[in-house]
Amino acid sequence: MTDSLGLKNRVAIVTGAAGDIGRATVELLIGHGAQVVALDIAREVHSLALNNQVITRVCDVSKEHEVISSVALARDKCGGVDILINNAGKTLNKLVTETSTQEWDSIMAINARGYFLLCRESLKVMQPRRQGAIVNVASVVCTVGMKATAAYSASKGAIVQLTKVLALEAAEYGIRVNAVAPGVVETNILSGIVEDSRATLASYGHAHPLGRVAQPEEIAEAILWLASPKASFVTGTVLMADGGYTAQ
Ligand SMILES: NC(=O)c1ccc[n+]([C@@H]2O[C@H](COP(=O)([O-])OP(=O)(O)OC[C@H]3O[C@@H](n4cnc5c(N)ncnc54)[C@H](O)[C@@H]3O)[C@@H](O)[C@H]2O)c1
């Protein structure tokens, strides 16, 4: 265990914790001595409970009552919420003309409304204690256009604006709100948008100036730094963890 980031005994909620970036983030938080409340719609989240620093709960972030009770769990069992990592996400690989209203709504419900609900409920716990840090996981498509990703990209753009506005609203409480925007990361989410993920991963890699896609742990490191006191003067920013993709 290390406390090089000042995260020991901090209470962190992580959504999408059963996924690849979520799990890597939980593992790093544990390694830094934090107490984690791990949320995911998938029951696999319970495998994280093997570590006694982690409380797990099945939670659909798009459902208001599930978010309210999950944040209450963190408050009541851990004594507060110091860190929120909004990471749960879903993709949709369809042209606008092929996207149904229901599909649009379902992406926005998870990627935009879910982030808003977690931020709102966590801030209610953080503000009286006048401390906290929120990291919202966006994507490079919050800023660049990519065909056949309209619903997903719009939701990630919404996350960035939510981040900036919340940074202003929460600053007077000493709470920081930032976003991380990854380029392509080798995770399970890609199986929903590409058929041959091996070949496509290689071609995605060439699109990044660093010549490869990211590993989940590399995104988790960026998340952790923003969540930690090491980033004490950083708020309202979007950290592009994209191998130079948006520098082109
Ligand atoms: N992998 C990439 O290339 C990439 C790039 C940019 C941004 N991101 C973002 O990173 C985040 C993590 O994705 P990942 O790549 O680790 O994918 P992943 O599929 O491994 O993880 C996503 C997790 O979110 C959970 N989830 C989905 N809907 C949910 C809901 N309604 N409530 C609660 N949990 C829900 C899933 O069960 C899954 O465990 C997402 O927000 C994604 O948009 C990923």
Side-chain angles (χ1 to χ4, degrees), residues 16 18-21 40-42 59-61 87-89 110 115 137-139 152 156 182-185 187-190:
D20 293 310
I21 294 172
D40 203 291
I41 198 169
C59 169
D60 179 345
V61 298
N87 166 73
I110 298 166
Y115 278 51
V137 179
S139 163
Y152 181 71
K156 293 298 184 180
V184 178
V185 191
T187 74
N188 191 45
I189 211 167
L190 297 176

Side-chain angles (χ1 to χ4, degrees), residues 12-245:
I13 295 177
V14 180
T15 73
D20 293 310
I21 294 172
R23 189 173 288 269
T25 304
V26 171
E27 283 166 6
L28 267 186
L29 282 164
I30 294 168
H32 283 267
Q35 173 81 45
V36 180
V37 177
L39 309 176
D40 203 291
I41 198 169
R43 299 198 64 78
E44 287 78 17
V45 72
H46 289 315
S47 65
L48 291 162
L50 291 174
N51 187 300
N52 61 12
Q53 281 167 251
V54 184
I55 296 172
T56 59
R57 186 179 175 93
V58 172
C59 169
D60 179 345
V61 298
S62 69
K63 303 243 166 71
E64 184 174 35
H65 63 280
E66 293 190 26
V67 171
I68 289 173
S69 60
S70 297
V71 174
L73 173 83
R75 182 197 60 211
D76 298 343
K77 285 242 165 125
C78 307
V81 177
D82 300 305
I83 294 165
L84 166 65
I85 312 294
N86 252 329
N87 166 73
K90 194 174 165 194
T91 53
L92 181 72
N93 188 36
K94 284 196 173 177
L95 298 171
V96 170
T97 48
E98 295 169 348
T99 302
S100 71
T101 310
Q102 193 186 17
E103 286 171 326
W104 176 276
D105 287 346
S106 104
I107 294 296
M108 295 303 277
I110 298 166
N111 297 1
R113 185 173 67 207
Y115 278 51
F116 152 70
L117 290 173
L118 260 304
C119 285
R120 187 187 69 192
E121 294 309 311
S122 299
L123 281 169
K124 287 180 192 168
V125 181
M126 290 173 174
Q127 283 180 351
R129 302 170 76 222
R130 303 194 74 81
Q131 62 167 33
I134 295 176
V135 182
N136 293 322
V137 179
S139 163
V140 283
V141 296
C142 72
T143 171
V144 296
M146 197 177 285
K147 270 171 70 178
T149 68
Y152 181 71
S153 298
S155 72
K156 293 298 184 180
I159 287 168
V160 167
Q161 288 309 106
L162 173 69
T163 300
K164 289 181 180 175
V165 173
L166 276 184
L168 301 181
E169 293 182 4
E172 65 183 282
Y173 299 96
I175 298 166
R176 298 179 300 101
V177 188
N178 291 290
V180 170
V184 178
V185 191
E186 188 170 354
T187 74
N188 191 45
I189 211 167
L190 297 176
S191 61
I193 51 172
V194 293
E195 276 164 22
D196 180 354
S197 53
R198 274 288 126 212
T200 314
L201 269 184
S203 73
Y204 281 161
H206 294 309
H208 296 65
L210 285 182
R212 62 178 178 84
V213 299
Q215 293 304 308
E217 296 72 22
E218 296 179 285
I219 307 305
E221 291 281 4
I223 292 170
L224 228 67
W225 180 75
L226 279 175
S228 80
K230 295 285 181 194
S232 53
F233 204 57
V234 181
T235 195
T237 195
V238 182
L239 176 57
M240 307 305 296
D242 66 356
Y245 190 93

